[in-house]
Amino acid sequence: MFTYILDYNSKIPIYEQLYVHIKEDILSHIISSGEKLPSKRKLAAHLKISVMTVETAYEQLISEGYIYSVSKSGYYVNNIEKTLSITATDINPIPVRENLTRSDYIYEFKTNAVDTENFPFSIWAKLMREVLRDKDKELLNKSEPKGLYSLRIEIAKYLKAYRGINCQPEQIIVGAGSEYMINLIIQLLGENNKYAVENPGYHKIAKILSAYNIDTEYLPLDDYGVSMEHLIYSNINVLHVSPSHQFPTGIITPIKRRYEILKWAAEKNSYIIEDDYDSEFRYNGRPVPALQSLDNNSRVIYMNTFAKNLAPSLRISYMVLPWDLVYKFDNKFQFYSNTVSCFEQYTLTKFMAGGYFERHINRMRNIYKSRINTIKNCLNQNDNIVIKGENIGLHIVLEFNKNVDINLIIEKAKNKGIFTSNINNYYFKGNHPKPALVLGYSGINNENIVEAFKILNKIW
């Protein structure tokens, strides 16, 4: 009879401990192939555990092929061929990065960070409990390919109130991240189109296009956004832009230039992908209307995400399609399953419908504005540095009037535990006219901003 030591205080269930003991004895040939195991009742009485616990352990061993059962006879050990052990000299060791989330930086001015301290955890948890209580059966079903209709209704209400966009829930598609949306757009429009992205710009979009082997052009910027001269003389079919807050320069495209871009799209029968990624956070005056809200010719595909205003881990983004693309999606892409869990979609629906989202945005807007003011105060009216893009979004550009070695500044800051980015890292071709740093401030509080700038001011 087997004698195993079972730890009743362990977090590992008793059945799992028993399963591991028996499996190890089989693999080490302490229990031989073909040997009959004790009956469930005998082993349970011997180990002073329940018959159900033994049965669960045996069932796991059967499912993995270690043992088999014979009706009215019992349980027997399968003939397990011994696996040859591999010595360290037989393989090429692969270096392992121990902790991918660990950071060596004390102060991080990252553009993809999130403010975890001010996330409304208690409200979100309360809404999750309500969803579990009220939507228990619905949570087990598949979501519609476009996402929950109730969530799309709330998004449509929000877009009308805050971005001036009049759209129907049928035009909205919810998905897991902007990358997923871009992949859908490529399939909707076809891979034979020629795309253009802003230079400098968001590299991930260009990488996705490159993965599809799509011909991509990099359009330079002027003071108002994408250069119209280069756009007009290009032969592109699809333009990706972020007119409300260009990344990384912070340029806000004015109304005149927006109408020029829309006119180009209408005349060329081309599409515009409008990435409105952090437009909620405007600190002076009313937001500039979304490009989509000005579009009378159905040429704009509007994209936004909850990653910047709630949390990146939620992986919830959405887009608004022109009606011709809505019909194409409904006819050809209904086989897709939605990529966001129903649980998160129902919770977000409640969060928006209850007014919590609006209040959270208003609160975070005040918090982020205070961080901008803290940075301005820390610079002590430094005549050599100009702040750009400080009226909107979650990052700024510090542009140096004098010719400084920006890479040396970044390296010295790194040695002091401060993360900063060179704006040239976001260029596909060429460099920025002046040395400049890109600083994200959504993941660093006022106290740490002050401490970091004490160091940075000495460095530059």
Side-chain angles (χ1 to χ4, degrees):
M1 186 64 71
F2 307 142
T3 301
Y4 298 129
I5 298 173
L6 303 174
D7 184 359
Y8 294 92
N9 296 318
S10 171
K11 292 181 180 179
I12 301 172
I14 298 300
Y15 86 86
E16 192 173 332
Q17 295 182 47
L18 178 60
Y19 146 80
V20 170
H21 283 307
I22 297 174
K23 182 180 77 171
E24 288 177 350
D25 282 357
I26 292 171
L27 291 174
S28 61
H29 298 290
I30 294 173
I31 304 174
S32 306
S33 298
E35 185 177 337
K36 183 179 181 180
L37 299 180
S39 70
K40 293 179 289 186
R41 293 186 181 280
K42 279 187 179 179
L43 186 56
H46 176 68
L47 296 175
K48 295 182 174 56
I49 57 178
S50 71
V51 175
M52 183 64 71
T53 299
V54 177
E55 183 177 4
T56 305
Y58 277 4
E59 289 298 325
Q60 184 64 34
L61 291 164
I62 289 172
S63 68
E64 295 184 18
Y66 290 103
I67 67 175
Y68 62 94
S69 66
V70 177
S71 180
K72 298 181 181 179
S73 177
Y75 297 89
Y76 296 85
V77 177
N78 266 320
N79 184 14
I80 306 294
E81 191 174 317
K82 186 177 181 182
T83 304
L84 295 174
S85 14
I86 302 174
T87 63
T89 54
D90 295 325
I91 59 173
N92 294 319
I94 299 172
V96 178
R97 294 172 64 187
E98 291 185 354
N99 188 346
L100 297 178
T101 60
R102 185 180 66 83
S103 174
D104 293 327
Y105 295 98
I106 304 169
Y107 311 107
E108 295 187 322
F109 290 96
K110 290 187 174 181
T111 58
N112 61 349
V114 64
D115 188 327
T116 56
E117 293 179 6
N118 291 290
F119 182 82
F121 285 105
S122 59
I123 294 170
W124 193 261
K126 176 178 80 74
L127 297 178
M128 289 174 75
R129 290 192 294 270
E130 290 179 8
V131 169
L132 286 170
R133 182 193 66 205
D134 302 334
K135 300 287 185 182
D136 53 345
K137 293 182 178 64
E138 291 92 333
L139 289 176
L140 301 178
N141 295 324
K142 283 177 63 177
S143 171
E144 303 162 59
K146 292 181 182 178
L148 287 180
Y149 195 74
S150 57
L151 175 57
R152 289 185 278 138
I153 288 174
E154 294 303 323
I155 292 173
K157 289 179 184 176
Y158 168 75
L159 289 176
K160 184 175 182 180
Y162 294 98
R163 300 302 293 127
I165 295 174
N166 285 301
C167 66
Q168 299 300 316
E170 288 78 9
Q171 293 176 261
I172 297 172
I173 297 179
V174 175
S178 300
E179 299 94 330
Y180 172 73
M181 295 302 173
I182 291 293
N183 278 281
L184 273 184
I185 291 170
I186 291 170
Q187 292 176 60
L188 279 167
L189 300 182
E191 298 177 27
N192 295 324
N193 291 301
K194 183 172 182 179
Y195 284 66
V197 296
E198 299 163 317
N199 181 40
Y202 187 49
H203 277 214
K204 189 173 285 188
I205 302 299
K207 287 179 180 178
I208 294 171
L209 296 173
S210 175
Y212 277 93
N213 294 317
I214 289 174
D215 190 8
T216 306
E217 194 166 324
Y218 307 109
L219 296 182
L221 309 175
D222 57 25
D223 292 339
Y224 307 109
V226 167
S227 165
M228 287 307 300
E229 181 183 357
H230 287 82
L231 179 59
I232 289 169
Y233 288 105
S234 69
N235 61 343
I236 65 165
N237 311 99
V238 186
L239 170 65
H240 179 278
V241 288
S242 49
S244 292
H245 187 223
Q246 201 279 331
F247 184 87
T249 63
I251 293 171
I252 300 171
T253 301
I255 290 292
K256 183 177 183 295
R257 177 61 56 85
R258 292 179 187 231
Y259 277 120
E260 289 172 346
I261 294 172
L262 289 170
K263 182 183 177 184
W264 163 84
E267 291 176 349
K268 295 284 188 179
N269 201 31
S270 298
Y271 284 100
I272 301 165
I273 303 171
E274 178 184 12
D275 194 336
D276 209 32
Y277 66 100
D278 64 359
S279 59
E280 293 87 356
F281 301 110
R282 185 172 176 85
Y283 310 115
N284 291 315
R286 291 185 58 81
V288 177
L291 198 63
Q292 199 275 356
S293 70
L294 307 173
D295 178 25
N296 295 321
N297 296 291
S298 298
R299 308 318 302 164
V300 177
I301 301 168
Y302 177 90
M303 285 178 51
N304 209 330
T305 178
F306 291 99
K308 292 288 186 181
N309 47 43
L310 283 177
S313 62
L314 289 178
R315 303 296 298 155
I316 303 179
S317 296
Y318 60 92
M319 63 181 174
V320 180
L321 295 178
W323 280 109
D324 60 324
L325 296 181
V326 172
Y327 300 140
K328 187 172 183 180
F329 183 90
D330 290 343
N331 289 329
K332 294 188 176 182
F333 294 94
Q334 286 291 321
F335 64 88
Y336 273 118
S337 297
N338 191 267
T339 50
V340 181
S341 76
C342 288
F343 191 23
E344 289 178 338
Q345 289 190 64
Y346 276 120
T347 306
L348 181 55
T349 301
K350 281 180 167 284
F351 192 72
M352 297 184 78
Y356 302 112
F357 181 66
E358 180 184 350
R359 290 195 286 274
H360 175 66
I361 293 296
N362 290 336
R363 179 170 178 248
M364 295 311 300
R365 193 181 290 119
N366 290 329
I367 289 172
Y368 292 142
K369 185 175 181 179
S370 75
R371 293 179 187 176
I372 286 289
N373 291 333
T374 299
I375 292 173
K376 288 180 178 178
N377 293 334
C378 288
L379 284 171
N380 297 321
Q381 297 179 336
N382 189 326
D383 294 335
N384 185 36
I385 297 176
V386 176
I387 302 178
K388 294 198 169 183
E390 74 272 23
N391 292 323
I392 187 172
L394 302 175
H395 76 275
I396 55 171
V397 174
L398 296 186
E399 197 173 81
F400 291 77
N401 290 323
K402 294 178 181 177
N403 189 20
V404 298
D405 187 338
I406 203 72
N407 288 319
L408 183 60
I409 288 174
I410 291 170
E411 187 62 28
K412 286 187 174 183
K414 179 182 178 181
N415 293 336
K416 296 291 185 179
I418 303 172
F419 177 88
T420 57
S421 298
N422 186 341
I423 197 169
N424 288 336
N425 294 341
Y426 303 102
Y427 275 80
F428 301 98
K429 296 178 179 178
N431 288 312
H432 199 66
K434 294 181 179 180
L437 295 173
V438 178
L439 301 185
Y441 49 85
S442 55
I444 182 168
N445 60 33
N446 283 328
E447 182 181 343
N448 284 335
I449 288 173
V450 171
E451 293 303 314
F453 267 84
K454 286 179 183 176
I455 301 168
L456 289 173
N457 281 324
K458 292 178 181 178
I459 292 173
W460 58 50

